[in-house]
Amino acid sequence: MRINNGRVQARGGVPVEETRRRARSGRAATPPGRTSRPRQAEVARLAGVSQATVSLVLGGKKQGAAISPETRQRVLDAALSLGYVPDPAARRLAAARNDLLGVFSFTATFPTDVQHSYYPFLVGVEQEAAARGYDLVLFTGSSSGGAGAAGPDALSRVRLADGCLFLGRHVPTEELRRLIGDGFPAVHVGRRDELEGLAWVGADYVSASREVVAQLAGLGHRRIVLVREDDDAPASTDREHGFLKGLEEAGLPAGPDAVFRTADPARTLSSERLREWLDDGVTALVAEETDTGSPWRALRAAVDEAGLDCPGELSLALLGSPPADLADEPAPTGFDIPRPQLGAAAVRLLAALVAGGGGGRTPRGLPLPGRRH
């Protein structure tokens, strides 16, 4: 610092009053045509302080509390005048955190339009992440096909983030087990019980499915059949468990014939199949909601093909909500899944794991009830 004709100047020769004037006007002291990022050393020269002082002031470090208000303001004015912004990569490296949360889907149909069932989850994820100061990183390891998520290095890139949210009915167990074993914070959107220590956030499909059956039984239905895909995804298992529990509580037949499992709903749910059920006394069919909506679509197509009157001849119910492109049709008996709320809850849980370093007792999940129509 020096005195020149009664004006205070920084070592770089720019008067402090001029620095502040430029800062207030938004005109930076950076030379025209410059493309490189201003450095802390330049801020230090303009403010007439050491680079260490600039680092303490701009880095928000506790040691900076000892710096006088005048010096702090001089540094801030110089930084604003130069158009200096901290390097986010350097700050994150120094903090050993990225403030990044990953999102990884195990399906090939990662949402590309609003109609995809994952879209509402991601709305809640984005809103909660933004509120907590996190950026999101979309990992596309499975975008070329579901099998792409099962390779030995499929999940290795998620370590770029502080933690990761996972979505999808089928997960690569060994890859996830390695991540969890290393203490990497991970949360699955939807219940999982295959992996010890994997946190999850899911809806209470058991209770909601049981209530759907109770509603149908209250309407007088005595033979009800559940149509579900032929896999062992936890969401499907929970829906079936709640369905069968509802039948038992209502005193209705809950034997093997009460559940129809199919690997190809479009082929096996024919008009002939529906007529056979009607002949056997079945008066209500219940479909499960899935990522693709296949059971519900196939059931609706079979009803139309058979020319059946619903609910006059056959009642239909859905354990979940119809696909978005069918939302304009009258809503069937069923329940809504609070997808945005689940996405937000998953971010909160993941943020808690990140803050705790991934150690200690990992929460098992945060079940949320569905809402009946």
Side-chain angles (χ1 to χ4, degrees), residues 11 39-45 48-58 61 75 84:
R11 291 174 186 166
R39 296 173 298 175
Q40 285 191 1
E42 296 173 74
V43 177
R45 283 196 298 271
V49 299
S50 68
Q51 187 171 341
T53 297
V54 173
S55 178
L56 291 174
V57 172
L58 300 182
K61 299 178 181 178
V75 170
Y84 173 85

Side-chain angles (χ1 to χ4, degrees), residues 170-227:
H170 305 286
V171 305
T173 304
E174 291 307 314
E175 280 290 290
L176 263 181
R177 179 176 287 115
R178 280 193 288 272
L179 284 177
I180 297 168
D182 291 340
F184 182 77
V187 173
H188 192 274
V189 181
R191 184 181 73 81
R192 312 302 310 191
D193 55 9
E194 311 97 317
L195 297 171
E196 183 66 30
L198 175 62
W200 55 268
V201 172
D204 184 2
Y205 293 128
V206 175
S207 298
S209 299
R210 185 177 65 227
E211 290 179 8
V212 169
V213 175
Q215 186 175 1
L216 291 173
L219 293 173
H221 294 284
R222 312 318 299 167
R223 286 286 309 278
I224 308 172
V225 171
L226 169 66
V227 178

Side-chain angles (χ1 to χ4, degrees), residues 89-220:
R91 295 184 65 178
R92 288 165 174 171
L93 181 62
R97 281 175 52 180
N98 291 323
D99 291 331
L100 300 175
L101 299 181
V103 178
F104 192 104
S105 168
F106 297 114
T107 71
T109 53
F110 199 83
T112 55
D113 56 53
V114 183
Q115 293 182 354
H116 195 285
S117 63
Y118 285 162
Y119 176 81
F121 287 115
L122 296 175
V123 170
V125 167
E126 180 185 18
Q127 292 175 345
E128 188 67 24
R132 292 177 174 270
Y134 284 100
D135 289 315
L136 295 175
V137 179
L138 171 62
F139 293 99
T140 57
S142 62
S143 62
S144 60
D153 299 319
L155 304 186
S156 59
R157 287 175 296 164
V158 304
R159 296 178 185 268
L160 293 172
D162 296 324
C164 192
L165 298 175
F166 295 96
L167 304 95
R169 288 168 65 87
H170 305 286
V171 305
T173 304
E174 291 307 314
E175 280 290 290
L176 263 181
R177 179 176 287 115
R178 280 193 288 272
L179 284 177
I180 297 168
D182 291 340
F184 182 77
V187 173
H188 192 274
V189 181
R191 184 181 73 81
R192 312 302 310 191
D193 55 9
E194 311 97 317
L195 297 171
E196 183 66 30
L198 175 62
W200 55 268
V201 172
D204 184 2
Y205 293 128
V206 175
S207 298
S209 299
R210 185 177 65 227
E211 290 179 8
V212 169
V213 175
Q215 186 175 1
L216 291 173
L219 293 173

Side-chain angles (χ1 to χ4, degrees), residues 28 102 186 234 258 273 299:
R273 174 72 267 189
L299 189 57

